[in-house]
Short mmCIF file of all heavy atoms in Angstrom, two decimals:
data_model
loop_
_atom_site.label_atom_id
_atom_site.label_comp_id
_atom_site.label_asym_id
_atom_site.label_seq_id
_atom_site.Cartn_x
_atom_site.Cartn_y
_atom_site.Cartn_z
N MET A 365 11.87 -11.34 17.51
CA MET A 365 11.20 -12.65 17.60
C MET A 365 9.91 -12.61 16.80
O MET A 365 8.82 -12.36 17.35
CB MET A 365 10.97 -13.01 19.06
CG MET A 365 12.23 -13.01 19.91
SD MET A 365 11.91 -13.33 21.65
CE MET A 365 11.43 -15.06 21.60
N ASN A 366 10.01 -12.80 15.51
CA ASN A 366 8.84 -12.71 14.63
C ASN A 366 8.26 -14.09 14.36
O ASN A 366 8.41 -14.67 13.29
CB ASN A 366 9.22 -12.03 13.31
CG ASN A 366 8.02 -11.87 12.39
OD1 ASN A 366 6.89 -11.80 12.86
ND2 ASN A 366 8.26 -11.81 11.11
N LEU A 367 7.62 -14.62 15.38
CA LEU A 367 6.87 -15.88 15.26
C LEU A 367 5.61 -15.72 16.12
O LEU A 367 5.50 -16.25 17.22
CB LEU A 367 7.73 -17.07 15.78
CG LEU A 367 7.16 -18.47 15.59
CD1 LEU A 367 7.09 -18.82 14.10
CD2 LEU A 367 8.00 -19.47 16.32
N PRO A 368 4.66 -14.91 15.62
CA PRO A 368 3.54 -14.48 16.45
C PRO A 368 2.71 -15.59 17.07
O PRO A 368 2.11 -15.39 18.12
CB PRO A 368 2.71 -13.59 15.49
CG PRO A 368 3.16 -13.98 14.14
CD PRO A 368 4.60 -14.36 14.25
N ASP A 369 2.67 -16.75 16.45
CA ASP A 369 1.85 -17.83 16.96
C ASP A 369 2.41 -18.41 18.28
O ASP A 369 1.66 -18.87 19.12
CB ASP A 369 1.72 -18.94 15.92
CG ASP A 369 0.61 -19.91 16.25
OD1 ASP A 369 -0.53 -19.42 16.51
OD2 ASP A 369 0.86 -21.14 16.27
N SER A 370 3.75 -18.33 18.44
CA SER A 370 4.33 -18.98 19.64
C SER A 370 5.57 -18.28 20.21
O SER A 370 6.20 -18.81 21.11
CB SER A 370 4.70 -20.45 19.32
OG SER A 370 5.59 -20.52 18.23
N ALA A 371 5.95 -17.12 19.70
CA ALA A 371 7.19 -16.47 20.16
C ALA A 371 7.19 -16.22 21.66
O ALA A 371 8.26 -16.32 22.30
CB ALA A 371 7.40 -15.16 19.38
N LEU A 372 6.05 -15.87 22.25
CA LEU A 372 6.01 -15.62 23.69
C LEU A 372 6.47 -16.82 24.49
O LEU A 372 7.03 -16.69 25.57
CB LEU A 372 4.58 -15.22 24.10
CG LEU A 372 4.08 -13.82 23.69
CD1 LEU A 372 2.62 -13.65 24.05
CD2 LEU A 372 4.94 -12.74 24.33
N GLU A 373 6.24 -18.01 23.95
CA GLU A 373 6.60 -19.25 24.67
C GLU A 373 8.11 -19.46 24.68
O GLU A 373 8.61 -20.30 25.44
CB GLU A 373 5.91 -20.45 24.02
CG GLU A 373 4.39 -20.37 24.08
CD GLU A 373 3.73 -21.44 23.23
OE1 GLU A 373 4.42 -22.39 22.79
OE2 GLU A 373 2.49 -21.36 22.99
N PHE A 374 8.86 -18.73 23.84
CA PHE A 374 10.31 -18.86 23.82
C PHE A 374 11.02 -17.91 24.77
O PHE A 374 12.23 -17.95 24.89
CB PHE A 374 10.82 -18.61 22.39
CG PHE A 374 10.58 -19.75 21.43
CD1 PHE A 374 9.32 -19.96 20.88
CD2 PHE A 374 11.62 -20.60 21.06
CE1 PHE A 374 9.09 -21.00 20.01
CE2 PHE A 374 11.40 -21.64 20.18
CZ PHE A 374 10.13 -21.86 19.63
N LEU A 375 10.25 -17.05 25.44
CA LEU A 375 10.88 -16.06 26.32
C LEU A 375 11.61 -16.70 27.51
O LEU A 375 12.52 -16.10 28.08
CB LEU A 375 9.82 -15.06 26.81
CG LEU A 375 9.22 -14.11 25.76
CD1 LEU A 375 8.17 -13.22 26.39
CD2 LEU A 375 10.33 -13.28 25.12
N ASP A 376 11.21 -17.91 27.87
CA ASP A 376 11.89 -18.58 28.99
C ASP A 376 13.37 -18.86 28.68
O ASP A 376 14.18 -19.03 29.58
CB ASP A 376 11.17 -19.88 29.36
CG ASP A 376 11.19 -20.91 28.23
OD1 ASP A 376 11.22 -20.48 27.06
OD2 ASP A 376 11.16 -22.10 28.51
N ALA A 377 13.71 -18.88 27.39
CA ALA A 377 15.11 -19.18 27.00
C ALA A 377 16.05 -18.05 27.41
O ALA A 377 17.28 -18.25 27.40
CB ALA A 377 15.18 -19.39 25.50
N PHE A 378 15.53 -16.87 27.71
CA PHE A 378 16.38 -15.74 28.10
C PHE A 378 16.91 -15.86 29.54
O PHE A 378 17.83 -15.14 29.89
CB PHE A 378 15.63 -14.42 27.96
CG PHE A 378 15.49 -13.94 26.52
CD1 PHE A 378 14.33 -14.19 25.81
CD2 PHE A 378 16.55 -13.30 25.89
CE1 PHE A 378 14.20 -13.77 24.50
CE2 PHE A 378 16.42 -12.87 24.57
CZ PHE A 378 15.24 -13.11 23.86
N ARG A 379 16.32 -16.74 30.31
CA ARG A 379 16.76 -16.88 31.69
C ARG A 379 18.18 -17.40 31.76
O ARG A 379 18.46 -18.51 31.29
CB ARG A 379 15.81 -17.80 32.48
CG ARG A 379 14.40 -17.22 32.63
CD ARG A 379 13.57 -18.05 33.60
NE ARG A 379 14.13 -18.10 34.95
CZ ARG A 379 14.03 -17.12 35.84
NH1 ARG A 379 13.38 -16.00 35.53
NH2 ARG A 379 14.55 -17.23 37.04
N GLY A 380 19.06 -16.58 32.29
CA GLY A 380 20.45 -16.99 32.48
C GLY A 380 21.35 -16.86 31.29
O GLY A 380 22.47 -17.37 31.30
N ILE A 381 20.91 -16.17 30.21
CA ILE A 381 21.78 -16.10 29.03
C ILE A 381 23.04 -15.30 29.27
O ILE A 381 24.04 -15.42 28.55
CB ILE A 381 21.04 -15.51 27.79
CG1 ILE A 381 20.61 -14.05 28.03
CG2 ILE A 381 19.87 -16.36 27.38
CD1 ILE A 381 20.17 -13.34 26.78
N LEU A 382 23.05 -14.45 30.32
CA LEU A 382 24.25 -13.69 30.66
C LEU A 382 24.90 -14.16 31.97
O LEU A 382 25.73 -13.48 32.55
CB LEU A 382 23.92 -12.20 30.78
CG LEU A 382 23.44 -11.53 29.50
CD1 LEU A 382 23.18 -10.02 29.75
CD2 LEU A 382 24.45 -11.68 28.39
N THR A 383 24.49 -15.34 32.42
CA THR A 383 25.10 -15.90 33.62
C THR A 383 26.57 -16.18 33.34
O THR A 383 26.88 -16.96 32.42
CB THR A 383 24.39 -17.18 34.06
OG1 THR A 383 23.01 -16.91 34.31
CG2 THR A 383 25.05 -17.75 35.31
N PRO A 384 27.48 -15.53 34.04
CA PRO A 384 28.91 -15.71 33.74
C PRO A 384 29.36 -17.16 33.88
O PRO A 384 28.96 -17.85 34.81
CB PRO A 384 29.61 -14.82 34.81
CG PRO A 384 28.55 -13.86 35.21
CD PRO A 384 27.25 -14.59 35.12
N GLN A 385 30.16 -17.60 32.92
CA GLN A 385 30.67 -18.95 32.95
C GLN A 385 32.17 -18.92 32.67
O GLN A 385 32.59 -18.44 31.62
CB GLN A 385 29.98 -19.83 31.90
CG GLN A 385 28.50 -20.03 32.18
CD GLN A 385 27.82 -20.87 31.10
OE1 GLN A 385 28.47 -21.27 30.16
NE2 GLN A 385 26.54 -21.13 31.26
N GLY A 386 32.94 -19.43 33.59
CA GLY A 386 34.38 -19.57 33.39
C GLY A 386 35.05 -18.23 33.12
O GLY A 386 34.86 -17.25 33.83
N GLU A 387 35.86 -18.21 32.07
CA GLU A 387 36.67 -17.05 31.76
C GLU A 387 35.84 -15.86 31.29
O GLU A 387 36.32 -14.74 31.26
CB GLU A 387 37.71 -17.42 30.67
CG GLU A 387 38.69 -18.48 31.11
CD GLU A 387 39.64 -18.84 29.99
OE1 GLU A 387 39.51 -18.25 28.87
OE2 GLU A 387 40.50 -19.71 30.19
N ALA A 388 34.60 -16.12 30.89
CA ALA A 388 33.76 -15.03 30.36
C ALA A 388 33.13 -14.18 31.44
O ALA A 388 32.49 -13.16 31.14
CB ALA A 388 32.65 -15.62 29.48
N GLU A 389 33.29 -14.52 32.70
CA GLU A 389 32.58 -13.81 33.77
C GLU A 389 32.85 -12.31 33.79
O GLU A 389 31.93 -11.51 33.71
CB GLU A 389 32.99 -14.43 35.13
CG GLU A 389 32.32 -13.75 36.31
CD GLU A 389 32.58 -14.48 37.61
OE1 GLU A 389 33.19 -15.57 37.57
OE2 GLU A 389 32.20 -13.94 38.66
N GLU A 390 34.10 -11.92 33.85
CA GLU A 390 34.41 -10.50 33.92
C GLU A 390 34.01 -9.77 32.65
O GLU A 390 33.51 -8.65 32.71
CB GLU A 390 35.91 -10.33 34.18
CG GLU A 390 36.37 -10.77 35.55
CD GLU A 390 37.84 -10.49 35.78
OE1 GLU A 390 38.44 -9.83 34.93
OE2 GLU A 390 38.36 -10.96 36.81
N ARG A 391 34.19 -10.40 31.51
CA ARG A 391 33.87 -9.75 30.24
C ARG A 391 32.37 -9.48 30.13
O ARG A 391 31.97 -8.40 29.71
CB ARG A 391 34.33 -10.63 29.09
CG ARG A 391 35.83 -10.79 29.00
CD ARG A 391 36.21 -11.76 27.91
NE ARG A 391 35.89 -11.24 26.61
CZ ARG A 391 35.91 -11.98 25.49
NH1 ARG A 391 36.21 -13.26 25.55
NH2 ARG A 391 35.60 -11.43 24.34
N LEU A 392 31.53 -10.44 30.50
CA LEU A 392 30.08 -10.25 30.40
C LEU A 392 29.60 -9.13 31.29
O LEU A 392 28.72 -8.34 30.93
CB LEU A 392 29.34 -11.57 30.73
CG LEU A 392 29.27 -12.58 29.60
CD1 LEU A 392 28.67 -13.88 30.10
CD2 LEU A 392 28.44 -12.03 28.46
N ASN A 393 30.10 -9.07 32.52
CA ASN A 393 29.67 -8.03 33.45
C ASN A 393 29.99 -6.65 32.91
O ASN A 393 29.24 -5.69 33.13
CB ASN A 393 30.38 -8.24 34.80
CG ASN A 393 29.75 -9.36 35.63
OD1 ASN A 393 28.55 -9.59 35.48
ND2 ASN A 393 30.55 -10.01 36.43
N GLY A 394 31.08 -6.51 32.18
CA GLY A 394 31.45 -5.24 31.64
C GLY A 394 30.74 -4.87 30.36
O GLY A 394 30.36 -3.71 30.16
N VAL A 395 30.51 -5.87 29.51
CA VAL A 395 29.92 -5.62 28.19
C VAL A 395 28.44 -5.26 28.30
O VAL A 395 27.95 -4.32 27.66
CB VAL A 395 30.09 -6.86 27.28
CG1 VAL A 395 29.26 -6.69 26.00
CG2 VAL A 395 31.56 -7.06 26.94
N TYR A 396 27.67 -5.98 29.14
CA TYR A 396 26.22 -5.79 29.20
C TYR A 396 25.82 -4.92 30.38
O TYR A 396 25.02 -5.32 31.24
CB TYR A 396 25.51 -7.16 29.23
CG TYR A 396 25.48 -7.81 27.88
CD1 TYR A 396 26.48 -8.69 27.51
CD2 TYR A 396 24.44 -7.56 26.98
CE1 TYR A 396 26.50 -9.28 26.26
CE2 TYR A 396 24.44 -8.15 25.72
CZ TYR A 396 25.46 -9.01 25.38
OH TYR A 396 25.45 -9.61 24.13
N ALA A 397 26.35 -3.73 30.42
CA ALA A 397 25.94 -2.76 31.45
C ALA A 397 24.50 -2.33 31.16
O ALA A 397 23.73 -2.01 32.08
CB ALA A 397 26.87 -1.56 31.45
N THR A 398 24.12 -2.29 29.88
CA THR A 398 22.73 -1.99 29.45
C THR A 398 22.17 -3.24 28.82
O THR A 398 22.78 -3.83 27.91
CB THR A 398 22.70 -0.84 28.46
OG1 THR A 398 23.31 0.32 29.02
CG2 THR A 398 21.27 -0.52 28.06
N MET A 399 20.99 -3.64 29.25
CA MET A 399 20.37 -4.85 28.74
C MET A 399 19.80 -4.64 27.31
O MET A 399 19.40 -3.54 26.93
CB MET A 399 19.20 -5.28 29.63
CG MET A 399 19.62 -5.75 31.02
SD MET A 399 20.54 -7.32 30.99
CE MET A 399 22.20 -6.70 31.17
N PRO A 400 19.80 -5.70 26.50
CA PRO A 400 19.25 -5.58 25.13
C PRO A 400 17.72 -5.44 25.13
O PRO A 400 17.07 -5.82 26.09
CB PRO A 400 19.68 -6.88 24.47
CG PRO A 400 19.89 -7.84 25.58
CD PRO A 400 20.37 -7.03 26.75
N MET A 401 17.21 -4.85 24.06
CA MET A 401 15.75 -4.78 23.85
C MET A 401 15.27 -6.07 23.19
O MET A 401 15.97 -6.64 22.33
CB MET A 401 15.39 -3.58 22.97
CG MET A 401 15.59 -2.22 23.61
SD MET A 401 14.44 -1.94 24.99
CE MET A 401 12.84 -1.93 24.14
N VAL A 402 14.08 -6.50 23.57
CA VAL A 402 13.45 -7.67 22.95
C VAL A 402 12.18 -7.23 22.27
O VAL A 402 11.35 -6.54 22.87
CB VAL A 402 13.13 -8.74 24.03
CG1 VAL A 402 12.43 -9.93 23.39
CG2 VAL A 402 14.39 -9.18 24.76
N HIS A 403 12.04 -7.58 20.99
CA HIS A 403 10.84 -7.23 20.21
C HIS A 403 10.15 -8.54 19.85
O HIS A 403 10.63 -9.30 19.01
CB HIS A 403 11.22 -6.47 18.95
CG HIS A 403 12.12 -5.30 19.21
ND1 HIS A 403 11.66 -4.07 19.64
CD2 HIS A 403 13.48 -5.17 19.13
CE1 HIS A 403 12.67 -3.24 19.79
NE2 HIS A 403 13.78 -3.88 19.48
N CYS A 404 9.05 -8.82 20.52
CA CYS A 404 8.38 -10.12 20.42
C CYS A 404 7.00 -9.96 19.80
O CYS A 404 6.17 -9.21 20.31
CB CYS A 404 8.29 -10.76 21.80
SG CYS A 404 7.64 -12.44 21.77
N TYR A 405 6.74 -10.68 18.71
CA TYR A 405 5.44 -10.61 18.02
C TYR A 405 4.51 -11.68 18.56
O TYR A 405 4.94 -12.80 18.90
CB TYR A 405 5.62 -10.76 16.51
CG TYR A 405 6.28 -9.52 15.89
CD1 TYR A 405 7.67 -9.43 15.83
CD2 TYR A 405 5.51 -8.48 15.42
CE1 TYR A 405 8.27 -8.30 15.29
CE2 TYR A 405 6.11 -7.34 14.88
CZ TYR A 405 7.48 -7.25 14.81
OH TYR A 405 8.07 -6.13 14.30
N CYS A 406 3.20 -11.34 18.59
CA CYS A 406 2.23 -12.30 19.14
C CYS A 406 0.83 -11.94 18.64
O CYS A 406 0.61 -10.93 18.05
CB CYS A 406 2.27 -12.26 20.68
SG CYS A 406 1.88 -10.62 21.34
N PHE A 407 -0.09 -12.87 18.90
CA PHE A 407 -1.50 -12.66 18.59
C PHE A 407 -2.28 -12.50 19.89
O PHE A 407 -1.85 -12.98 20.96
CB PHE A 407 -2.09 -13.86 17.84
CG PHE A 407 -1.52 -14.06 16.46
CD1 PHE A 407 -1.03 -15.30 16.09
CD2 PHE A 407 -1.50 -13.03 15.54
CE1 PHE A 407 -0.50 -15.51 14.81
CE2 PHE A 407 -0.97 -13.21 14.27
CZ PHE A 407 -0.47 -14.46 13.90
N THR A 408 -3.41 -11.80 19.81
CA THR A 408 -4.31 -11.69 20.96
C THR A 408 -5.75 -11.64 20.45
O THR A 408 -6.00 -11.15 19.36
CB THR A 408 -4.02 -10.43 21.80
OG1 THR A 408 -4.96 -10.37 22.89
CG2 THR A 408 -4.16 -9.14 20.97
N ARG A 409 -6.63 -12.20 21.27
CA ARG A 409 -8.07 -12.16 20.92
C ARG A 409 -8.76 -10.96 21.52
O ARG A 409 -9.94 -10.70 21.26
CB ARG A 409 -8.76 -13.43 21.47
CG ARG A 409 -8.26 -14.73 20.82
CD ARG A 409 -8.82 -14.92 19.44
NE ARG A 409 -8.36 -16.16 18.83
CZ ARG A 409 -8.70 -16.55 17.60
NH1 ARG A 409 -9.51 -15.78 16.88
NH2 ARG A 409 -8.26 -17.65 17.07
N GLU A 410 -8.02 -10.20 22.35
CA GLU A 410 -8.58 -9.00 22.97
C GLU A 410 -8.55 -7.84 21.97
O GLU A 410 -7.50 -7.53 21.43
CB GLU A 410 -7.80 -8.62 24.21
CG GLU A 410 -7.79 -9.67 25.31
CD GLU A 410 -9.17 -9.86 25.96
OE1 GLU A 410 -10.04 -8.99 25.75
OE2 GLU A 410 -9.35 -10.86 26.65
N LEU A 411 -9.69 -7.24 21.69
CA LEU A 411 -9.79 -6.20 20.67
C LEU A 411 -9.56 -4.80 21.23
O LEU A 411 -9.09 -3.91 20.51
CB LEU A 411 -11.14 -6.27 19.97
CG LEU A 411 -11.44 -7.62 19.28
CD1 LEU A 411 -12.77 -7.55 18.54
CD2 LEU A 411 -10.33 -8.01 18.32
N GLU A 412 -9.92 -4.55 22.49
CA GLU A 412 -9.69 -3.26 23.11
C GLU A 412 -8.21 -3.12 23.42
O GLU A 412 -7.62 -4.02 24.03
CB GLU A 412 -10.52 -3.09 24.38
CG GLU A 412 -12.02 -3.02 24.12
CD GLU A 412 -12.38 -1.79 23.29
OE1 GLU A 412 -11.73 -0.75 23.45
OE2 GLU A 412 -13.33 -1.91 22.51
N PRO A 413 -7.56 -2.00 23.04
CA PRO A 413 -6.11 -1.87 23.25
C PRO A 413 -5.64 -2.13 24.67
O PRO A 413 -4.65 -2.84 24.86
CB PRO A 413 -5.85 -0.41 22.82
CG PRO A 413 -6.92 -0.11 21.83
CD PRO A 413 -8.13 -0.84 22.31
N HIS A 414 -6.32 -1.58 25.69
CA HIS A 414 -5.85 -1.79 27.07
C HIS A 414 -6.00 -3.23 27.51
O HIS A 414 -5.15 -3.75 28.24
CB HIS A 414 -6.62 -0.86 28.03
CG HIS A 414 -8.05 -1.19 28.22
ND1 HIS A 414 -9.04 -0.90 27.27
CD2 HIS A 414 -8.70 -1.82 29.25
CE1 HIS A 414 -10.20 -1.31 27.72
NE2 HIS A 414 -10.05 -1.86 28.89
N MET A 415 -7.04 -3.92 26.99
CA MET A 415 -7.21 -5.33 27.31
C MET A 415 -6.20 -6.18 26.59
O MET A 415 -5.65 -7.15 27.16
CB MET A 415 -8.63 -5.78 26.93
CG MET A 415 -9.74 -5.14 27.74
SD MET A 415 -9.70 -5.66 29.47
CE MET A 415 -10.22 -7.37 29.31
N ALA A 416 -5.88 -5.81 25.33
CA ALA A 416 -4.89 -6.54 24.55
C ALA A 416 -3.50 -6.42 25.20
O ALA A 416 -2.78 -7.41 25.34
CB ALA A 416 -4.83 -5.99 23.13
N GLU A 417 -3.18 -5.20 25.64
CA GLU A 417 -1.88 -4.99 26.29
C GLU A 417 -1.76 -5.77 27.60
O GLU A 417 -0.71 -6.34 27.90
CB GLU A 417 -1.65 -3.50 26.52
CG GLU A 417 -1.48 -2.72 25.21
CD GLU A 417 -1.35 -1.22 25.44
OE1 GLU A 417 -1.21 -0.80 26.62
OE2 GLU A 417 -1.35 -0.47 24.44
N ALA A 418 -2.85 -5.81 28.36
CA ALA A 418 -2.84 -6.55 29.63
C ALA A 418 -2.67 -8.03 29.38
O ALA A 418 -1.92 -8.71 30.09
CB ALA A 418 -4.15 -6.27 30.39
N ASP A 419 -3.36 -8.54 28.35
CA ASP A 419 -3.27 -9.97 28.00
C ASP A 419 -1.84 -10.33 27.57
O ASP A 419 -1.27 -11.34 28.03
CB ASP A 419 -4.24 -10.28 26.87
CG ASP A 419 -4.06 -11.66 26.28
OD1 ASP A 419 -4.09 -12.64 27.04
OD2 ASP A 419 -3.85 -11.77 25.04
N ILE A 420 -1.25 -9.50 26.71
CA ILE A 420 0.11 -9.79 26.22
C ILE A 420 1.14 -9.67 27.32
O ILE A 420 2.04 -10.51 27.45
CB ILE A 420 0.46 -8.84 25.04
CG1 ILE A 420 -0.47 -9.10 23.85
CG2 ILE A 420 1.90 -8.98 24.61
CD1 ILE A 420 -0.45 -7.99 22.81
N ARG A 421 1.01 -8.65 28.16
CA ARG A 421 1.93 -8.48 29.26
C ARG A 421 1.89 -9.66 30.22
O ARG A 421 2.93 -10.19 30.65
CB ARG A 421 1.63 -7.21 30.01
CG ARG A 421 2.54 -6.95 31.21
CD ARG A 421 2.07 -5.75 32.02
NE ARG A 421 2.38 -4.49 31.37
CZ ARG A 421 3.53 -3.82 31.54
NH1 ARG A 421 4.47 -4.31 32.35
NH2 ARG A 421 3.72 -2.67 30.95
N GLN A 422 0.68 -10.14 30.52
CA GLN A 422 0.52 -11.25 31.45
C GLN A 422 1.19 -12.51 30.91
O GLN A 422 1.91 -13.21 31.63
CB GLN A 422 -0.96 -11.52 31.70
CG GLN A 422 -1.23 -12.66 32.66
CD GLN A 422 -2.72 -12.94 32.85
OE1 GLN A 422 -3.53 -12.60 32.02
NE2 GLN A 422 -3.07 -13.60 33.95
N ARG A 423 1.02 -12.79 29.61
CA ARG A 423 1.61 -13.97 29.02
C ARG A 423 3.13 -13.84 28.92
O ARG A 423 3.87 -14.81 29.15
CB ARG A 423 1.00 -14.26 27.65
CG ARG A 423 -0.43 -14.80 27.72
CD ARG A 423 -0.92 -15.19 26.35
NE ARG A 423 -1.24 -14.03 25.51
CZ ARG A 423 -1.14 -14.02 24.20
NH1 ARG A 423 -0.70 -15.10 23.57
NH2 ARG A 423 -1.45 -12.95 23.52
N ALA A 424 3.60 -12.63 28.57
CA ALA A 424 5.05 -12.42 28.46
C ALA A 424 5.73 -12.58 29.82
O ALA A 424 6.76 -13.27 29.93
CB ALA A 424 5.32 -11.04 27.89
N GLU A 425 5.16 -11.95 30.86
CA GLU A 425 5.73 -12.07 32.20
C GLU A 425 5.70 -13.49 32.72
O GLU A 425 6.61 -13.95 33.40
CB GLU A 425 5.02 -11.11 33.16
CG GLU A 425 5.25 -9.63 32.83
CD GLU A 425 4.49 -8.69 33.73
OE1 GLU A 425 3.53 -9.15 34.41
OE2 GLU A 425 4.84 -7.50 33.77
N GLY A 426 4.61 -14.21 32.38
CA GLY A 426 4.50 -15.60 32.82
C GLY A 426 5.58 -16.48 32.21
O GLY A 426 6.14 -17.38 32.86
N ASN A 427 5.92 -16.23 30.95
CA ASN A 427 6.92 -17.06 30.27
C ASN A 427 8.35 -16.68 30.63
O ASN A 427 9.24 -17.52 30.75
CB ASN A 427 6.75 -16.97 28.76
CG ASN A 427 5.57 -17.80 28.27
OD1 ASN A 427 5.61 -19.04 28.35
ND2 ASN A 427 4.55 -17.15 27.76
N ILE A 428 8.58 -15.37 30.84
CA ILE A 428 9.95 -14.93 31.12
C ILE A 428 10.26 -15.03 32.61
O ILE A 428 11.44 -15.04 33.02
CB ILE A 428 10.18 -13.49 30.60
CG1 ILE A 428 11.67 -13.26 30.30
CG2 ILE A 428 9.66 -12.45 31.59
CD1 ILE A 428 11.94 -12.01 29.49
N GLY A 429 9.22 -15.13 33.45
CA GLY A 429 9.43 -15.35 34.88
C GLY A 429 9.77 -14.08 35.64
O GLY A 429 10.45 -14.16 36.68
N ALA A 430 9.33 -12.93 35.18
CA ALA A 430 9.61 -11.68 35.89
C ALA A 430 8.68 -10.58 35.42
O ALA A 430 8.11 -10.66 34.32
CB ALA A 430 11.07 -11.26 35.67
N LYS A 431 8.52 -9.54 36.27
CA LYS A 431 7.73 -8.40 35.89
C LYS A 431 8.50 -7.56 34.85
O LYS A 431 9.70 -7.42 34.94
CB LYS A 431 7.44 -7.52 37.11
CG LYS A 431 6.44 -8.12 38.08
CD LYS A 431 5.03 -8.00 37.53
CE LYS A 431 4.01 -8.49 38.55
NZ LYS A 431 2.62 -8.42 37.99
N LEU A 432 7.76 -7.05 33.85
CA LEU A 432 8.38 -6.18 32.85
C LEU A 432 8.14 -4.73 33.27
O LEU A 432 7.01 -4.26 33.35
CB LEU A 432 7.74 -6.43 31.47
CG LEU A 432 7.90 -7.84 30.91
CD1 LEU A 432 7.23 -7.97 29.54
CD2 LEU A 432 9.36 -8.25 30.83
N GLU A 433 9.22 -4.05 33.56
CA GLU A 433 9.13 -2.68 34.06
C GLU A 433 9.99 -1.76 33.23
O GLU A 433 10.85 -2.20 32.45
CB GLU A 433 9.57 -2.62 35.53
CG GLU A 433 8.71 -3.48 36.44
CD GLU A 433 9.25 -3.59 37.84
OE1 GLU A 433 10.44 -3.28 38.06
OE2 GLU A 433 8.47 -3.96 38.74
#
Side-chain angles (χ1 to χ4, degrees):
M365 304 176 70
N366 182 26
L367 187 66
D369 195 51
S370 57
L372 288 174
E373 298 171 13
F374 284 77
L375 292 178
D376 63 330
F378 284 98
R379 294 189 62 78
I381 63 167
L382 296 181
T383 301
Q385 295 179 359
E387 298 177 0
E389 180 172 353
E390 292 184 7
R391 295 175 66 192
L392 279 173
N393 282 330
V395 170
Y396 283 91
T398 302
M399 293 292 101
M401 289 293 295
V402 178
H403 309 279
C404 186
Y405 289 87
C406 60
F407 294 128
T408 179
R409 296 283 181 181
E410 299 292 345
L411 301 184
E412 292 297 326
H414 70 284
M415 294 293 290
E417 292 177 9
D419 170 55
I420 295 166
R421 179 187 284 271
Q422 181 182 21
R423 287 186 287 150
E425 292 177 344
N427 283 294
I428 206 166
K431 288 285 185 182
L432 299 180
E433 299 172 343

